[in-house]
Structure formats: C-alpha cells, structure tokens
Amino acid sequence: MVAGLAAPALIGAGGLSQPSADSRSRSTRRRQWVLVIDLRKCEGCVTTGKPPQCVEACNVEHFVPRGQEWIRVLEMKDLTGHTYFLPRPCMQCENAPCVRVCPVGASYHNEEGVVLIDHRRCIGCRLCMAACPYGARVFNWGQPENPPGALFADYRPEYPVPHLKGTVEKCMLCAHRTQNGKLPACAQACPMFAIYLGDLTEDVATNGKEVVQLSTFLAENHAFRLREELGTRPRVWYVPGHGQEYGRDVRDTRTPKKPRSWQELGATLENPHGGHQ
Amino acid sequence: MIRKVFGLRLFAVFVTVLAVFWPGLPGPKQAAHADSPVKVRVEVTDVGFKPATVEVEQGQLVELTFVWAHQAYPGEEHIMVLEGYRLETEKINAGHREATIRFIADRSGTFTFKCDLDCELHQYLQNGVLKVRPGGGGGASRTPTVLRVTPSADTTDGKGVDLTVMLRDPSGGPVAKAEVKFYLETEFVGTKGLMEVGRVKTDDRGLAVWEYRPTVGQPEHRLTVRFEGMGIYDESQQTVIIRQVSTPPAAYVPAPVGFEKAPRLPATLARGAPDWAVSAWSWATNNWGPLTITTLVLGVWAAMARAVYEALRGLSGAETKPSHRR
C-alpha cells in the first residue's frame, strides 16, 4: 500500500521511470554523455540575486543530504587575481580512479559512461574519496534525512533515494533524467544557459536553448578539462571565461549566496521542486 | 529680386565647389551616391597603415584599396582582413601591389582591419580602424545572390556525402571568397534547432565542395546551406534533404582503460566448457575485490584454526605420553 503510493510519487520526481521510447527510437546507439560548462556565461547567479540555481536544483532533484553539494560553484582566481566562478560537478572520468580503487565494485561506469555508485554494495571504506582528484565525493557520516515515503522507494543507482548512512555519494549526471531524454537538473535550472549536455556518440550538445556541434564548440572556444594531466579523461569540459557574456566585470567582488537545502526549499516527493524556481 | 536669387544660387555653387575641392577635407568623408563608391586607398608601409583610420558613413558603397608601399622590407606579403565585415583581400606583395575589397558599410561602429599573415611587420599592421558613422546618406543596396547546392547522393549509409555549392550573382558572375555555412535541423534532448555542422569558402569560380559526414542518427538530414551576405552581396540559402538508410558510425568510441570489462576465459578453456563455468569465471573476475578479501579472511581463520588445533594436539600429546610408556 505504502510502496504503491510512493512509486508514482517518485516517478513524478523523475526518479524511477524507465527510458522513454522517444529517447531511444531515434538512434539505437548508446549515448556517451558529457557536460560542457561555458564560464563566459556563468556569473555565479550573482546578478540574479539568488543562490546558484544549479546547486539548488540539484539539491531538490536528489534530496541531497544537508551539508552536501554534489555540484559546487567554486570562486576561483586567475593569475592576475581576478575572479571567476567554476561549477564543479563529478567529472565522470573515463579512467576514473574511484572506480579503480573500489574494493567491492560499488563504483562503476554504466553503458553511457556515467560513473554510478551502487549503495547496496558500498561498504563505506572511502577509498574512492581519497582517490578522486576533484573532491567530488561526499560521505554520509550519519543517517541522512530522506523525504517522507522515500524509505519505501525502489532504490536504483541512477536515482539513489533513499540515502543510506555509511555510504559515499556524488553527482551522477542525473542519469535518471538523461535516460529519459531530459537535461540534468543543473543544466535545466541554469538561468544563463551556461551548462550544456553533450553526446560524444552523435557529436552534439545543447543547453536547452541552442544545439551545437560538440567537437566544433569545444575546439573553437578553447575548452579545457580540469587536471587533465592526471590522465583521468574527465567528461566535463570548461569554456574559459568570467561571466562576460552577461556583463560581469572581473573586478566584481560579489560572491554567490549560500544555496538552500531541499528542506529549506520545501521539496517533497510529490512536489520535488518545492519552492525552487 | 532676380539679382538676389541669382546671387544666392551663385553663392551656393561657390560653397559646393569649395567644399568639394577644399584640400583639408578628406575624400572618404564625403557623401557618396548609391552607385558611386567611396574610394579609399590605404598604404601599407614599414611603420603601419597610412592612413590608419578610415571613416565612412553607414550605407555607403566603399572600395577599400590596400597598396603595398614598403621601403625596407621587399619580401613582405600581406592578406588584409576587415573584421566585422568578414572580408579579406588577395595577397599583396612587391609583385602584386594592390588589392581591393568592395562592400556596403551597412553596419555602424568601429571595425579593425589588419594583416592576417605572420609577416615581419605583423605588430605594426594590426591597428587599422574603419569607423562607420551611423545614419549617413548612403543608400547603396546589396546585389542579390543565387545559391545552388548539389549533393552527390540523396541517401547516406553513414558515409560522407559531397555537397557542391555554387554561388553566383544575377548576371551569372561568380561570388568568390564567400563563406557558406551548413546547418543541420536536429533535435537533441528536447531542444530543436539548427546546428552548424560546417563552413566552406568559395573559390574564384564561386564554387566550393564540402563533405557532410553525418553523426546524428535521424531518418532525414535536412541541411540548410546559407550564405549570410558579404561585401556587396546579399544573403541567400537553400535546403537539401538527405535520407538516412543506416545508422552512421559513432563519432566517438571510448578508448579502453583496462578495467571496463572482466577478462574473458581463455579460448582454449572456454571451448567445451559449460555455461555455468564461463558465468562463474565472469562473476569471479567481476568481483575480484570481495573474493580477495573473503579469501584473505578465510585464510587467516584457517591458519588460526590450524595453529589452535596444533596447540591442542600438542597439549593432548604431552598428557598421553606416559600412558604410551606403560
């Protein structure tokens, strides 16, 4: 009875539905997802007066435990001391150190190249956290707060609800959304259209506003990857910039507001986006 | 009365003549007729452009001529580009001293012209400025163009299709050095749009060939080929449709890193082996971590058990020794 109530709610949250026919009918080939973050468009949501919308959207989409941020908007300084903002999700490395070190095979790549965690296998050894050069993983030291009804949900690594104590968590590129032909929550919520979801197989990417040829977009805009020299082959590219497309000055000293948790935003399984706009 | 009118007319003619022939007034600033271009000559010297700034009014037809005028650098070669208007000249050097670009200054603002080659005087030839004042009296109109695209095939099985582009003006003359862009109408993750998939420049005959290599899997590849206008030419476009008969190959295949797949059972052992054995091997290699830990733990326990057993056996042996003597 309870599970029956919980399942439709989770489907509404975009959590447990199967890949739609539409997302697969066009091509039988497997997607190979990537993210491209255009830093020319990212200004940390400072001009909007709101906290970073990508972080808040992620918080409510996954009911991210309080105190964690699966995508973080880092304030960086260039060589001249000027600032820019760098959203940092999991890099979904092709040669992922976290996958290599996991002693129980809990971290793995799915067929679309996304690094997932099977929390039923995770033993909480945190070797993966030590191995990750990007600091993209977080640990549930205590029992995280789950939304009502989540305990009866049918857990999937693509949408790890409920969250479990003693396990490692991270961004999984909204695998439950991309499988259904949707943008990840962060890309969907970005008011500046700075986050592109791309597919290496079809060489195409979109930010929800325009469609670009991925390889050309990366090459023409001098895209780079973080700590590429480590050989991890990250699947997140950055186009260098400092929010100039929206008029942000490099001397702007304003910093992003603190993102609100899903509890503060009032998200529930029935109303996953709560008050988040 | 008649004298007064005649006097005014005479004065107007005098002022006009003065304005036209006064040496202090530079030529490019004059208002030009729609059909008569404003001709500007810019010398490319050893110390830069002369003049370095050219001013015209919006809507004027402009003929900008670059003149090779080096003294100390006889080997210099240049190709001048006018950014913003996407125009470039032919190569100029000691043998071919002049090159002209014609365009309608339809956009106001400040645009740079510079040398696009890696020449000796490169840094001196990066600061030419074209100022187009807004408004103006120029009413020059662009020449229409005709774009014709011919694909080498109507279908694709994933291999490339050559698209031959021909760009002409209404009189049939070629439009050379024109950039033509190719857009694919596609949908990705719910977003529909025109995706730029390539660009090419026409040659002196107004021709260009570009190979379309499909990467997106969709039944119909609707390509919009567009010339966005350049210089004195107006924009034009054409759409071609190429049907897909089989899925194109993946644009990217991840290179192996060594741990993607479990090692397979060697062929010699797999031959004739039951399915359960192959499955067990696969499971074991996929779960080498827990297996190793379990083996280690069991090994330690076995060693401890053995040690305890030996100790107990030793103790019991010591007690039973006297009974053997009996």
Side-chain angles (χ1 to χ4, degrees):
Chain A
M1 173 82 179
V2 178
L5 283 174
L10 271 181
I11 289 169
L16 299 174
S17 51
Q18 292 300 311
S20 69
D22 182 55
S23 66
R24 290 287 162 79
S25 60
R26 198 176 73 160
S27 172
T28 53
R29 294 175 297 176
R30 282 283 172 196
R31 302 282 195 189
Q32 293 294 323
W33 300 115
V34 298
L35 275 188
V36 184
I37 302 178
D38 192 342
L39 302 183
R40 297 171 303 183
K41 295 177 180 169
C42 179
E43 36 76 270
C45 289
V46 165
T47 57
T48 63
K50 293 178 178 175
Q53 294 296 285
C54 53
V55 184
E56 290 199 340
C58 179
N59 284 350
V60 298
E61 180 71 30
H62 299 281
F63 303 100
V64 172
R66 204 187 287 267
Q68 298 181 10
E69 284 179 9
W70 292 2
I71 175 171
R72 290 182 68 188
V73 178
L74 304 171
E75 188 182 355
M76 310 290 284
K77 281 191 177 176
D78 63 16
L79 292 175
T80 60
H82 294 126
T83 58
Y84 63 97
F85 297 109
L86 185 120
R88 193 239 49 210
C90 169
M91 297 291 137
Q92 313 295 345
C93 307
E94 277 182 17
N95 187 13
C98 54
V99 173
R100 282 180 174 256
V101 299
C102 183
V104 293
S107 286
Y108 66 101
H109 286 98
N110 73 359
E111 289 176 322
E112 295 177 337
V114 179
V115 178
L116 298 175
I117 302 171
D118 189 340
H119 294 83
R120 295 164 300 194
R121 277 192 168 193
C122 179
I123 56 172
C125 67
R126 296 184 291 131
L127 279 174
C128 54
M129 290 177 68
C132 177
Y134 305 101
R137 291 181 168 236
V138 284
F139 187 64
N140 288 331
W141 289 97
Q143 176 57 50
E145 188 180 346
N146 286 300
L151 292 173
F152 305 102
D154 185 15
Y155 167 90
R156 282 199 313 156
E158 289 81 7
Y159 190 72
V161 174
H163 300 285
L164 302 174
K165 179 183 177 182
T167 58
V168 174
E169 305 221 60
K170 72 169 193 73
C171 153
M172 74 291 296
L173 199 63
C174 284
H176 64 295
R177 289 177 64 92
T178 53
Q179 282 178 350
N180 287 292
K182 292 180 185 172
L183 285 174
C186 53
Q188 187 80 48
C190 179
M192 306 302 180
F193 298 99
I195 304 177
Y196 291 74
L197 175 73
D199 174 23
L200 288 166
T201 306
E202 294 205 332
D203 195 18
V204 60
T206 184
N207 59 354
K209 188 180 177 186
E210 59 172 351
V211 185
V212 297
Q213 193 174 35
L214 179 63
S215 57
T216 311
F217 187 74
L218 296 178
E220 286 190 341
N221 295 306
H222 316 290
F224 66 94
R225 297 184 284 186
L226 291 183
R227 309 191 76 172
E228 205 166 354
E229 71 281 4
L230 297 177
T232 53
R233 305 212 303 248
R235 282 214 177 159
V236 178
W237 271 266
Y238 291 93
V239 173
H242 56 269
Q244 66 266 38
E245 283 205 9
Y246 293 97
R248 183 181 175 271
D249 195 304
V250 285
R251 292 174 290 268
D252 193 339
T253 53
R254 287 179 292 176
T255 53
K257 289 184 177 176
K258 190 175 181 298
R260 293 164 291 181
S261 64
W262 65 267
Q263 293 95 332
E264 289 168 317
L265 288 162
T268 60
L269 284 172
E270 291 77 17
N271 181 21
H273 298 289
H276 181 258
Q277 297 296 321
Chain B
M1 181 67 184
I2 295 170
R3 273 187 185 176
K4 194 178 177 184
V5 172
F6 182 73
L8 281 172
R9 283 186 180 172
L10 196 66
F11 179 72
V13 169
F14 174 71
V15 168
T16 308
V17 170
L18 195 69
V20 171
F21 293 104
W22 188 259
L25 289 176
K29 286 185 178 175
Q30 297 166 25
H33 189 265
D35 297 324
S36 60
V38 174
K39 294 184 178 180
V40 186
R41 290 174 72 81
V42 175
E43 289 187 354
V44 184
T45 71
D46 294 348
V47 291
F49 295 112
K50 190 181 168 184
T53 302
V54 174
E55 289 188 36
V56 296
E57 291 191 349
Q58 192 175 5
Q60 285 183 328
L61 174 62
V62 182
E63 257 187 38
L64 184 58
T65 304
F66 291 95
V67 184
W68 190 94
H70 289 299
Q71 299 286 331
Y73 297 89
E76 282 289 83
E77 289 186 328
H78 310 291
I79 290 177
M80 298 303 168
V81 293
L82 176 58
E83 292 186 340
Y85 278 88
R86 302 192 306 272
L87 289 166
E88 68 174 49
T89 67
E90 297 167 350
K91 191 183 282 183
I92 54 172
N93 51 34
H96 178 65
R97 289 177 176 250
E98 289 190 11
T100 301
I101 48 174
R102 283 164 62 90
F103 62 97
I104 294 167
D106 52 359
R107 284 187 294 152
S108 62
T110 302
F111 307 93
T112 56
F113 56 84
K114 61 186 183 182
C115 176
D116 201 34
L117 295 183
D118 188 17
C119 54
E120 286 278 332
L121 300 164
H122 193 73
Q123 58 176 324
Y124 298 106
L125 299 175
Q126 298 295 304
N127 53 2
V129 174
L130 169 75
K131 287 183 179 173
V132 181
R133 289 194 297 270
S141 56
R142 290 187 167 210
T143 308
T145 53
V146 179
L147 182 72
R148 187 164 296 166
V149 186
T150 313
S152 62
D154 294 334
T155 58
T156 175
D157 56 354
K159 291 175 185 167
V161 175
D162 284 337
L163 298 172
T164 305
V165 178
M166 187 170 67
L167 191 62
R168 297 284 159 103
D169 61 19
S171 63
V175 179
K177 291 195 172 184
E179 190 177 65
V180 177
K181 292 181 178 176
F182 300 84
Y183 297 90
L184 174 69
E185 200 173 290
T186 190
E187 181 182 357
F188 178 62
V189 200
T191 307
K192 287 182 183 174
L194 287 177
M195 175 173 79
E196 187 186 327
V197 288
R199 56 183 82 163
V200 71
K201 271 192 176 181
T202 57
D203 61 10
D204 292 338
R205 298 167 297 164
L207 289 171
V209 179
W210 178 74
E211 185 188 21
Y212 173 58
R213 258 183 197 283
T215 54
V216 178
Q218 55 191 36
E220 196 175 81
H221 295 249
R222 185 181 289 267
L223 287 160
T224 300
V225 187
R226 186 181 293 167
F227 167 58
E228 293 177 341
M230 178 195 74
I232 59 169
Y233 296 108
D234 207 356
E235 61 183 24
S236 54
Q237 71 173 39
Q238 191 194 329
T239 302
V240 292
I241 297 170
I242 299 167
R243 282 183 298 107
Q244 178 184 296
V245 292
S246 64
T247 310
Y252 178 82
V253 178
V257 293
F259 277 82
E260 291 89 350
K261 287 181 180 175
R264 290 186 177 181
L265 199 62
T268 48
L269 294 175
R271 200 177 302 128
D275 287 345
W276 65 266
V278 177
S279 299
W281 175 268
S282 176
W283 183 86
T285 47
N286 263 327
N287 296 277
W288 61 271
L291 271 179
T292 308
I293 292 173
T294 309
T295 310
L296 281 172
V297 170
L298 287 177
V300 170
W301 283 5
M304 287 172 66
R306 169 99 185 170
V308 170
Y309 170 74
E310 289 294 339
L312 289 173
R313 193 178 164 202
L315 282 174
S316 61
E319 285 171 4
T320 52
K321 267 183 185 175
S323 61
H324 280 294
R325 283 177 192 164
R326 265 186 269 155

